[in-house]
Amino acid sequence: MADNARAKRLADLIREVVAQKLQRGIKDPRLGSHVTITDTRVTGDLREATVFYTVYGDDEERKAAAAGLESAKGILRSEVGRAAGVKFTPTLAFVMDALPDTARTIEDLLDKARESDAKVREASAGATYAGGADPYRKPEDDETDDTAE
């Protein structure tokens, strides 16, 4: 089993090689400039690599990019093998990265929270305290209470 540093270096190399090959080497129109390689992970035995990618566009472009990556898998694996120089070139699996969808969901939740905060701020604009401005007792208040008894 390889060490984690070697797996990390191989993952970085795979990410760079695949991104460069997609940008310059593959003429598939489905894999235009709207495909971005975001991350790569390699198993501990260096046999399998998972390549995460995002696609700028709608669902049709995402499906087309997934099909294009599947058809270019062999070319990309041979490029990785040529660049890595390892005994066994890892198999490549392409997975759509969920990061943009997660970020969009978080942004929507933050927008709702900001709207809720604005409503609370409007409702409390003319409000006053139910008791005093400072609800805590102070030592000087205790002295005045003792003398009154």
Side-chain angles (χ1 to χ4, degrees), residues 103-115:
R104 190 177 5 240
T105 302
I106 290 172
E107 285 296 323
D108 291 342
L109 291 172
L110 287 173
D111 288 341
K112 287 180 184 176
R114 285 185 198 106
E115 289 174 10

Side-chain angles (χ1 to χ4, degrees), residues 68-142:
L69 286 170
E70 276 302 313
S71 69
K73 188 184 286 190
I75 296 169
L76 294 171
R77 185 173 180 216
S78 64
E79 270 309 303
V80 167
R82 190 175 297 122
V86 291
K87 183 177 182 179
F88 180 81
T89 303
T91 59
L92 300 178
F94 292 97
V95 176
M96 177 72 82
D97 197 353
L99 184 67
D101 295 333
T102 305
R104 190 177 5 240
T105 302
I106 290 172
E107 285 296 323
D108 291 342
L109 291 172
L110 287 173
D111 288 341
K112 287 180 184 176
R114 285 185 198 106
E115 289 174 10
S116 175
D117 288 348
K119 288 178 185 176
V120 169
R121 205 173 300 117
E122 288 175 14
S124 66
T128 59
Y129 293 106
D134 187 10
Y136 299 104
R137 295 180 75 177
K138 296 182 178 65
E140 55 269 1
D141 291 341
D142 289 339

